Amino acid sequence: MAFGQLGSDGTASVSGCSPHLAGEMGWGNSGVWRQDAAAVMDVCLHSEQQQPRHLQEAPCTPDGGLEPAAEGALQEDGTGRRPGDSNEIEPSLRSLQKFVPTDYASYTQEHYLFAGTEIVIQESIESYGAVVWPGATALCRYLEEHAEELNLQDAKILEIGAGPGLVSTVASILGAQVTATDLPDVLGNLQYNLLKNTLKRAAHLPEVRELVWGESLEQHFPRSTFYYDFVLASDVVYHHYFLDKLLATMAYLCQPGTVLLWANKFRFSTDYEFLDKFKQVFDTTLLAEFPESSVKIFKGILKWD
């Protein structure tokens, strides 16, 4: 699934997707893609059955070059700002430059509004882990609307597959102590987005940690040390070969009293097969459903024999 070059009319072609859908990505003359990118990538998931991303790999690699100086692209200072704006960067954010990955050709700054706060997320279409997917926005909406009921203030939360960090950002702004996890290749962008959006806004700055599903869990997250009130996951289930390891990781991270909140857009038959297995391991409640986006949100409580 590769994304093509900009054409003479300023639109982008997407291999594996129809021209109409490519046009919906909203590339303008400046080369900036709009918020429909995740929807187009979602269609591409249907057209090509992709394996999940791995270290140093990007499942959506450009065939050619997007304009490197396009508005919203990552600048040399690692901030997404124009070079002349460097003096406006908060000193505490300067140290984050080392965390920002340099292997993405282009970025965009997408704006979201949750918990009464404007959140700016740096995204890139070159990796599944650098795009905000529909399940993430649905879960943010649920957290926002049920923050008091969930008692998120000072709650200990771990997010699986945090991607660019929108869900972890919202949970942090709502008062939770958040640990955001993902694969190594997306941690830089995740760290950057989290600190940029939570610094001076959240009572607890979120932590970023590497988590490879099913690997070295006891070593990196010993149950004797780590306990979470909530485990969050959004759009972690799609066509990949690590669903059993994902379920095992979900179960491992949940202890008595832990609530797992899982939001997902259901695209494939394998998604429903995973749900069946999920119900065998967790007492499952459907909390919310969004028919317009095919997203469902489930609460899971680990079954204890």
Side-chain angles (χ1 to χ4, degrees):
M1 181 167 60
F3 287 79
Q5 296 180 336
L6 292 175
S8 59
D9 60 353
T11 61
S13 62
V14 185
S15 66
C17 300
S18 71
H20 172 70
L21 289 170
E24 287 185 355
M25 293 184 70
W27 246 302
N29 293 330
S30 64
V32 180
W33 59 283
R34 302 194 186 108
Q35 295 179 3
D36 296 322
V40 176
M41 290 180 73
D42 194 45
V43 174
C44 292
L45 271 175
H46 286 277
S47 63
E48 293 188 36
Q49 294 182 338
Q50 295 286 339
Q51 296 187 22
R53 61 192 185 278
H54 296 283
L55 182 62
Q56 302 302 329
E57 295 180 356
C60 296
T61 305
D63 293 332
L66 295 175
E67 296 177 4
E71 181 182 352
L74 184 67
Q75 302 298 336
E76 291 181 359
D77 64 0
T79 66
R81 296 176 182 266
R82 293 181 177 84
D85 296 335
S86 58
N87 291 333
E88 299 177 13
I89 306 170
E90 296 187 44
S92 53
L93 291 181
R94 293 183 186 277
S95 62
L96 295 179
Q97 294 177 15
K98 63 183 180 181
F99 291 113
V100 179
T102 57
D103 56 343
Y104 298 153
S106 66
Y107 288 87
T108 185
Q109 308 291 321
E110 294 298 328
H111 296 250
Y112 302 87
L113 182 62
F114 289 103
T117 304
E118 182 181 15
I119 299 168
V120 182
I121 298 294
Q122 179 170 268
E123 302 182 41
S124 174
I125 59 173
E126 296 178 46
S127 170
Y128 292 162
V131 173
V132 173
W133 296 88
T137 54
L139 186 54
C140 288
R141 176 177 166 186
Y142 185 85
L143 294 177
E144 178 185 42
E145 294 176 354
H146 298 83
E148 186 173 342
E149 173 189 340
L150 295 171
N151 195 20
L152 294 181
Q153 189 69 41
D154 299 323
K156 295 182 179 179
I157 290 179
L158 180 141
E159 184 183 5
I160 299 174
L166 179 62
V167 174
S168 285
T169 295
V170 172
S172 294
I173 292 173
L174 291 172
Q177 304 176 57
V178 176
T179 300
T181 70
D182 212 311
L183 294 176
D185 57 323
V186 300
L187 293 185
N189 194 51
L190 171 60
Q191 174 82 81
Y192 177 78
N193 282 330
L194 284 176
L195 291 190
K196 182 177 181 180
N197 286 287
T198 61
L199 200 64
K200 300 182 180 179
R201 291 179 170 180
H204 310 283
L205 285 180
E207 178 185 6
V208 173
R209 301 194 64 184
E210 175 184 335
L211 174 58
V212 181
W213 300 339
E215 295 187 13
S216 305
L217 296 176
E218 183 60 41
Q219 176 183 351
H220 297 300
F221 297 89
R223 284 178 168 171
S224 59
T225 305
F226 293 92
Y227 172 84
Y228 300 101
D229 299 299
F230 294 92
V231 173
L232 307 181
S234 63
D235 273 325
V236 292
V237 177
Y238 52 97
H239 186 83
H240 61 73
Y241 300 102
F242 299 93
L243 292 176
D244 289 340
K245 289 186 175 182
L246 169 61
L247 185 57
T249 300
M250 287 176 163
Y252 175 85
L253 293 170
C254 291
Q255 299 187 48
T258 301
V259 175
L260 190 150
L261 298 178
W262 166 42
N264 220 90
K265 178 170 183 175
F266 282 74
R267 308 169 177 89
F268 309 109
S269 60
T270 50
D271 299 347
Y272 290 96
E273 292 170 6
F274 179 89
L275 176 59
D276 290 338
K277 293 182 179 180
F278 182 88
K279 290 179 177 179
Q280 295 174 17
V281 179
F282 292 90
D283 289 321
T284 306
T285 304
L286 177 62
L287 296 178
E289 190 169 4
F290 304 88
E292 69 279 3
S293 60
S294 302
V295 171
K296 304 176 190 290
I297 301 179
F298 295 96
K299 178 178 77 171
I301 305 294
L302 187 66
K303 295 180 179 181
W304 295 90
D305 295 331

